[in-house]
Amino acid sequence: MAATFPLPPGSTIGILGGGQLGRMLALAAARLGLDVVILTPDEGSPASRVAARTIVAAYDDPVALQALAQAADVVTYEFENVPVRAVEALTALGAAVAPGADALRVAQDRVAEKTFLNASAAPTVAFAEIGGADDIAAALPRIGLPALLKTRREGYDGKGQAWIRDADAAPAAFAAVGAAPSVLEARADFRRELSIIAARGRDGEIAFYPLSENVHEGGVLRTTLAPAEVTPAVQAQAGQIARSVLDRLDYVGVMGIELFDLGDGGLLVNEIAPRVHNTGHWTQDGCEVDQFELHIRAVAGWPLGDTTPMVQVEMTNLLGDEVHDWLAIAAEPNARLHLYGKGEPRPGRKMGHVNRVKSR
Ligand code: AMP
């Protein structure tokens, strides 16, 4: 049966994916009196530990998708590599899925993403579609050196990427990304990395948080400071980019938009994530309505609520063994600890984060 919105408390949200983002979405849903059913291939996932129900199966398992469509009043996802055909199958089964398949399709392919962004008043670096090492040589005169080769699909946290510093290195770079279909990007000469977390409701209402400043190490997010120190003009430009991207996708839910701040008032979009985002974790302890609640409100057809910041927050990811500092962090004033319930702290694995209030 087709759901009618707004979904009242007692309704069920389905989430594709069982990681920490699903966990924090489930916690936010629970606070609003909504139940969550998770579909994940993994037993004992971080999200399942706090959800009413879990279906353990592959994302494209037809029986599992049928069960999810039956159980959930609306279905969402917590990572962008969910197969588009799973979302299409859910839709065909009559489930309301938000964000929709278009957002996934765009976010899963860096060429489609950049093409879409440039058509949406959201500028990116110059880029070229790459099918083989020869394409790199052909594109370099336009793209310039150094250039960054990235796989079109399934790259995250800096994986599947190779810098090209001279034209002779093209074959090696193509081999380094697994000879996969790729995109060649001009180097962004950025001063710092920013992001904007934005949401769009079922009625087209748009809300966003102030920009955050993000520091990456080895391609992985280390810290976020938010609200970032930016001019009103830069904040306004980011808001315009967000509005344009969300409207064009007829988007419902939260999106993370990663930006390069060129330092001259200009912004470029690096990538978009059709989901809650690591650079939005600061909102849990900085805003009235955090990004997880904002996403649940949007997909459930509720008013989006207040995204105004109350304090400035520095978010630090706890990677691998850093999670062992939990006791000291728990004793710190002005620090809020968020742990994901993951077993083994492998190197670089996101185990939790801490939000430290910087100023009120
Ligand atoms: P990505 O996987 O696209 O988010 O890239 C990971 C990180 O690599 C970004 O956060 C940037 O620090 C850096 N990076 C990505 N693309 C570019 C680019 N075109 N120019 C310079 N640095 C980049």
Side-chain angles (χ1 to χ4, degrees):
M1 202 180 68
T4 46
F5 296 98
L7 296 178
S11 303
T12 298
I13 313 267
I15 302 178
L16 298 166
Q20 64 267 19
L21 300 178
R23 178 184 176 96
M24 292 183 276
L25 285 169
L27 292 171
R31 253 195 337 264
L32 301 179
L34 298 161
D35 278 337
V36 160
V37 50
I38 302 287
L39 172 59
T40 170
D42 303 319
E43 294 276 357
S45 72
S48 321
R49 291 165 179 274
V50 301
R53 184 180 160 200
T54 300
I55 302 166
V56 178
Y59 293 118
D60 53 2
D61 180 319
V63 177
L65 290 172
Q66 175 84 54
L68 183 66
Q70 209 136 50
D73 298 293
V74 67
V75 178
T76 188
Y77 41 88
E78 59 114 48
F79 80 125
E80 60 271 38
N81 289 326
V82 169
V84 173
R85 64 181 178 281
V87 169
E88 287 168 346
L90 283 165
T91 308
L93 288 164
V97 185
D102 283 352
L104 264 190
R105 235 178 255 116
V106 164
Q108 285 182 355
D109 177 350
R110 291 186 192 273
V111 171
E113 183 178 36
K114 286 189 164 53
T115 305
F116 164 78
L117 287 168
N118 284 299
S120 309
T124 70
V125 291
F127 68 98
E129 189 177 333
I130 302 298
D134 291 349
D135 295 338
I136 300 176
L140 275 177
R142 180 169 66 86
I143 302 296
L145 286 168
L148 184 54
L149 187 68
K150 299 179 179 176
T151 54
R152 283 177 71 155
R153 297 183 158 271
E154 309 234 323
Y156 66 95
D157 286 349
K159 295 187 174 67
Q161 302 191 4
W163 280 103
I164 299 176
R165 296 183 196 285
D166 65 88
D168 295 345
F174 191 62
V177 300
S182 298
V183 61
L184 187 68
E185 294 186 9
R187 184 180 66 170
D189 190 11
F190 61 85
R191 190 161 71 81
R192 57 183 178 167
E193 293 186 73
L194 303 173
S195 61
I196 185 162
I197 308 296
R200 189 167 175 279
R202 291 191 176 273
D203 57 358
E205 178 192 2
I206 290 202
F208 46 80
Y209 298 99
L211 283 159
S212 66
E213 179 172 348
N214 311 309
V215 176
H216 294 84
E217 271 172 25
V220 180
L221 182 67
R222 169 101 322 243
T223 61
T224 294
L225 179 68
E229 313 287 342
V230 294
T231 63
V234 165
Q235 178 66 51
Q237 194 185 336
Q240 274 162 14
I241 288 172
R243 183 175 293 276
S244 167
V245 167
L246 269 55
D247 278 343
R248 273 185 77 108
L249 286 169
D250 196 16
Y251 194 83
V252 174
V254 165
M255 176 183 280
I257 303 178
E258 297 182 19
L259 301 162
F260 296 131
D261 176 1
L262 302 180
D264 60 359
L267 294 175
L268 298 177
V269 180
N270 176 29
E271 59 183 8
I272 58 175
R275 54 169 170 78
V276 287
H277 197 250
N278 197 166
T279 66
H281 290 1
W282 70 276
T283 60
Q284 291 174 306
D285 300 297
C287 302
E288 298 280 357
V289 172
D290 70 32
Q291 66 161 345
F292 301 100
E293 181 172 334
L294 186 65
H295 184 73
I296 297 295
R297 283 171 174 250
V299 301
W302 290 28
L304 296 180
D306 189 355
T307 52
T308 310
M310 300 179 292
V311 291
Q312 191 182 40
V313 174
E314 185 178 64
M315 190 284 314
T316 304
N317 272 336
L318 298 173
L319 305 175
D321 284 342
E322 290 164 7
V323 72
H324 296 318
D325 296 339
W326 61 271
L327 195 54
I329 295 168
E332 264 180 57
N334 294 330
R336 289 283 309 282
L337 182 61
H338 300 261
L339 297 179
Y340 306 151
K342 293 185 181 175
E344 197 196 330
R346 290 192 299 273
R349 191 176 192 202
K350 290 177 179 169
M351 302 299 291
H353 64 273
V354 53
N355 283 333
R356 294 188 172 93
V357 173
K358 302 298 281 183
S359 60
R360 289 177 196 280

